[in-house]
């Protein structure tokens, strides 16, 4: 018997646990398979149009800017407007998301579109969200080559595209969709919830934007 087995044996004995662990394993497996759902607040439980409206309203109170476009093909024009209005260079980095790749970026002749994770040298990043949470104005980002997590944190300006149909009422609903998409054992390495630009009030209780990430967050809602 190894030292580990001896220690665990003494623990089981002190708990008066049976030597056969199969029944306990079954209890744990059943609990994980049929995990109870928490209480979901009513604030976000609205129809699709009302969820988008609530999402946009709360996101703006968190210092994000929000624009709604009718179709995905309108996104490059919206990105161009954002860059132009802030006197930013027409250059940005994004991942390999198929939804972003299908957009007509080439129609903006001045765009420099860089691909892959950023090393911190990019002023603007563009991502596509997995979804949003209406009750808190939060964006749900999943990691991977499609939308590298470095783009969530390193550029000064982060532009995130989200489909109106992917805006859920509550966190529980959004997390449920993530689980349904990937399944157990295949979850993304990182799941980021982003509510407004990065901020901190640690110094003299003054809010400073961009303390730990982008100082500007612009959301483009498609189909809202």
């Amino acid at each position: 018997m190894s030292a580990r087995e001896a220690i665990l044996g003494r623990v089981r004995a002190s708990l008066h646990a049976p030597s056969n662990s199969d029944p306990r394993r079954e209890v744990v497996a059943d609990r994980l398979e049929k995990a109870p759902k928490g209480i979901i607040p009513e604030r976000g439980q609205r129809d699709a149009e009302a969820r988008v409206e609530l999402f946009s309203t709360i996101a703006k109170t968190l210092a994000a800017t929000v624009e709604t476009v009718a179709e995905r093909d309108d996104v490059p024009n919206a990105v161009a407007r954002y860059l132009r209005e802030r006197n930013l260079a027409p250059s940005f980095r994004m991942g390999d998301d198929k939804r972003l790749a299908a957009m007509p970026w080439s129609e903006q002749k001045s765009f420099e579109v860089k691909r892959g994770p950023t090393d911190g040298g990019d002023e603007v990043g563009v991502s596509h969200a997995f979804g949003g949470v209406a009750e808190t104005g939060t964006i749900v980002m999943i990691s991977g080559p499609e939308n590298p997590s470095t783009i969530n944190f390193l550029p000064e300006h982060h532009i995130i595209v989200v489909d109106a149909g992917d805006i859920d009422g509550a966190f529980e609903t959004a997390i449920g969709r993530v689980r349904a998409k990937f399944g157990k054992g295949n979850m993304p390495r990182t799941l980021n919830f982003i509510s407004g630009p990065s901020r901190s009030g640690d110094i003299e209780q003054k809010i400073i934007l961009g303390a730990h990430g982008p100082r500007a967050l612009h959301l483009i809602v498609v189909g809202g």
Side-chain angles (χ1 to χ4, degrees), residues 41-127:
E42 292 185 3
R43 180 169 65 165
Q45 303 311 301
R46 311 182 180 196
D47 61 35
E49 184 177 351
R51 287 199 302 270
V52 172
E53 182 179 357
L54 178 62
F55 170 83
S56 300
T57 298
I58 297 182
K60 290 175 184 177
T61 68
L62 298 173
T65 53
V66 183
E67 180 176 358
T68 300
V69 298
E71 300 177 355
R72 289 183 179 179
D73 285 356
D74 298 325
V75 169
N77 285 332
V79 171
R81 277 193 299 274
Y82 179 88
L83 300 178
R84 185 169 57 250
E85 290 170 359
R86 290 158 181 79
N87 293 318
L88 297 170
S91 173
F92 55 87
R93 182 173 291 277
M94 65 183 185
D96 298 325
D97 192 284
K98 293 181 179 179
R99 294 162 295 184
L100 291 178
M103 295 173 185
W105 302 103
S106 60
E107 292 181 3
Q108 300 291 330
K109 303 301 182 183
S110 62
F111 272 175
E112 178 190 20
V113 181
K114 294 173 283 185
R115 308 280 182 173
T118 179
D119 60 2
D122 300 289
E123 189 172 20
V124 180
V126 175
S127 302

Side-chain angles (χ1 to χ4, degrees), residues 13 19 103 106 120 155 158 200 209:
S19 58
M103 295 173 185
S106 60
H158 194 191
S200 174
L209 296 180

Side-chain angles (χ1 to χ4, degrees), residues 7-21:
I7 292 172
L8 292 177
R10 287 196 292 270
V11 171
R12 281 193 293 268
S14 67
L15 296 173
H16 305 289
S19 58
N20 183 3
S21 62

